[in-house]
Structures are given as structure tokens and as C-alpha cells.
Amino acid sequence: MNFRLRIFLLISLLALTAGAEEPKVVAYIPNWIDLPSFAKSIAYDKVTHLNIAFENPVDDAGTLSFNQGNGSIIKEAKEHHLKVLLSIGGGSASGDQAVLARYGKLLAADRREAFAQKLMDVVVTRGFDGLDVDLEGPSITADYGAFIQALSTLAKASYKLLTAALSRGYGGDKVTAETLRKFDFVNLMAYDATGPWSPQEPGQHSSLEFAKENVRYWLGRGLPKEQAVLGLPFYGYGFGEASKNRDYPYAKILTDFPGAQKSDQVGQTIWYNGIPTIQAKTRFMLETGLAGVMIWSLDSDAKGEHSLLQAIHETLQTWRAR
């Protein structure tokens, strides 16, 4: 093999390697927990993005709330060379009537641009790598698309990420294909097929088949697979006698039911995702060529050998070693 041919092949190999992006592991962290303490416990080598959830406008001028504990996550994430995003919305943006009404005003044409600018100013000044928009259900109005367009323009100008969390059955059907393409990636909320709101429908809220259905739906809607991140639940729901608690963190399930990591249902009756299902979903993501997986939420994971994050990590390692 002559010298020029060897150089050409080397350059080609380097170009291919550079273009191959590692799967994302996006983990949400709720900011109502003790963030400084939790920041010390995160396995930073097993995630790529951390989304701090949630901050929301506290007045009709669009002033954003900010938990000072967020700084501990930002500091650790930066030291470990991870992306950290500020997430807005969540349950209160659709379930709290005052917050819902406030978003309705701020997304309207007369306040939209100013609100988008305030959000991006917070992202930049607080040291975030991007903004995650988790508006759901009734908070996704006719103004949503124009709002995302305004954010997209500002995010690109600031070299920041713009992402979203969307649910197929709770407002996502109102998001156009054009708007979907404005995001760097979209976290698919492939869970909550049933829950405490449907006591007459006990069962698995996030099966492997439900995940596949969600992916088919979103890709069919025009979302490129390279922008689709599959959401995984680190919690379960109880039915019957177990419905006395709204949800069950995976760590709590393992504490109450030793060996529960091997299955998806325990007790009378709690449904969740154990290690085999999390591994199967991660393999499905890889086989389908999606952008990665998303976790709601990291604080619900168990420590040690039965960790769901560890199960994801090991599945990715096995895939890379093939």
C-alpha cells in the first residue's frame, strides 16, 4: 500500500469516527430535592446531559424562578464535561391553573419575544448549555410553534441547545413537524400509558411495546430518528391497595421488595420497569438508530449493582464492544 493511499484511508477513518455520535443519556433531576447532596452522588461517567427540572415564570413579566441549589449541579457537570440544561414547564405548567394561565399570556404574540429573550438570558448568565421545554397538555397552545421558533433563533445565536420533552397522548399531537425540527433533540415521554388517573386500567404504564409504538408515532410524524431520545421511567405506579401512593421510585420498590429488579410487577400491585426491560429498551434504541435514552428521574434510581443507570451503561458498553 503506497503512502498516499494510507493517508487517504486514515483521513477517511478519522472523518467517519468524528461523525459518529455516541448515544445520549439524558437524565432529569428534579430541583425540589437536596441538590448539593445529590450532586455528589451522580455517576457522571454514565450520563451525557443533565436536565434540571423545573423553573417557571413567577409573574406575568416572565421573571423565572431559580433554585440556588442548581449551581451545585452545574458546577459538577462542568467539571465532568457534561451538558447541563435548564428545563421549564413540567406538571405545574399544565396542572396549576395560575402557572398555566401565565404561560398562556407569555406565549401570546405581544409578550412572546420578550419572554424568549428572558429565558435565553438566564441560560447564558447562569452557565447552562441549553434550554429544555417541557410544556405538556393544555400548556401546548396555538402559540407554541411561534414560541419555539423565537427560542430557536436565540439559541442558535447563543450556541445553546434547544430540546423538548413531549408526550404523544398529552399535547404532543398539537406540535407540528416543522416545530419538531427546531429542536436539537426531543425526549419522547414513552411512559404513563396508565396510572392513578385511570384506576380502572391497572397494568404496565411503560412496556417495551409502548415504547416501540411511541417511536413509530414520532418518526411517522416527521421527527428524524437522529433527534429522537427514548424516555425511560425510573418509577412505577400502584393500583388497588398500592394506589395509596401516587408513584413509587424504583429505589423504594427494591427496598420494599428484594429481587424486584428482575421483573416489572410486584406487590398488590405495582408496575414499573426492572433491569431486563430497561436493557431491552436501550437495545431497541441502539438497533433503531435513535439519538439516545432519557431518564425520568435520576434521583429515583437504586445504588449499586441493581441501578437502572448501570444497566443502561452496561448495555451501551456491550453494544460498543460488538
Side-chain angles (χ1 to χ4, degrees), residues 157-213:
S158 301
Y159 302 98
K160 299 295 183 180
L161 295 172
L162 179 63
T163 69
L166 289 171
S167 167
R168 170 186 177 181
Y170 194 47
D173 58 330
K174 294 185 286 186
V175 180
T176 67
E178 179 183 5
T179 298
L180 289 174
R181 288 191 287 271
K182 300 295 182 184
F183 297 110
D184 290 285
F185 58 86
V186 177
N187 299 301
L188 309 182
M189 300 170 69
Y191 37 71
D192 292 358
T194 188
W197 55 89
S198 299
Q200 73 284 1
E201 297 178 11
Q204 178 57 268
H205 76 98
S206 185
S207 66
L208 175 60
E209 184 52 41
F210 186 68
K212 292 179 178 180
E213 289 173 6

Side-chain angles (χ1 to χ4, degrees), residues 133-299:
V133 181
D134 188 12
L135 296 181
E136 308 168 25
S139 60
I140 299 180
T141 66
D143 293 313
Y144 181 89
F147 175 57
I148 297 304
Q149 174 60 65
L151 284 173
S152 176
T153 299
L154 294 170
K156 285 181 172 62
S158 301
Y159 302 98
K160 299 295 183 180
L161 295 172
L162 179 63
T163 69
L166 289 171
S167 167
R168 170 186 177 181
Y170 194 47
D173 58 330
K174 294 185 286 186
V175 180
T176 67
E178 179 183 5
T179 298
L180 289 174
R181 288 191 287 271
K182 300 295 182 184
F183 297 110
D184 290 285
F185 58 86
V186 177
N187 299 301
L188 309 182
M189 300 170 69
Y191 37 71
D192 292 358
T194 188
W197 55 89
S198 299
Q200 73 284 1
E201 297 178 11
Q204 178 57 268
H205 76 98
S206 185
S207 66
L208 175 60
E209 184 52 41
F210 186 68
K212 292 179 178 180
E213 289 173 6
N214 270 262
V215 170
R216 285 194 293 268
Y217 171 80
W218 287 108
L219 298 189
R221 286 281 317 280
L223 179 66
K225 63 182 180 179
E226 297 82 6
Q227 292 172 240
V229 176
L230 178 60
L232 309 177
F234 278 25
Y235 65 93
Y237 287 128
F239 295 88
E241 178 63 23
S243 65
K244 60 186 177 183
N245 291 339
R246 186 183 185 280
D247 56 76
Y248 290 80
Y250 172 72
K252 173 67 172 171
I253 294 172
L254 262 59
T255 297
D256 293 345
F257 302 94
Q261 74 277 0
K262 301 175 184 177
S263 62
D264 290 339
Q265 187 273 318
V266 292
Q268 299 296 322
T269 183
I270 302 168
W271 294 85
Y272 59 99
N273 280 189
I275 288 176
T277 296
I278 292 294
Q279 290 175 325
K281 287 182 178 181
T282 304
R283 286 193 297 269
F284 166 70
M285 174 276 293
L286 292 164
E287 292 163 358
T288 309
L290 304 182
V293 296
M294 172 270 280
I295 295 160
W296 180 270
S297 59
L298 191 59
D299 60 308

Side-chain angles (χ1 to χ4, degrees), residues 28-65:
Y28 280 87
I29 301 173
N31 63 3
W32 53 84
I33 65 173
D34 182 349
L35 290 177
S37 294
F38 187 70
K40 300 173 183 176
S41 70
I42 297 172
Y44 291 96
D45 61 322
K46 297 179 176 61
V47 295
T48 61
H49 297 69
L50 295 174
N51 289 358
I52 303 178
F54 297 98
E55 301 293 354
N56 285 307
V58 297
D59 55 36
D60 290 351
T63 305
L64 207 65
S65 62

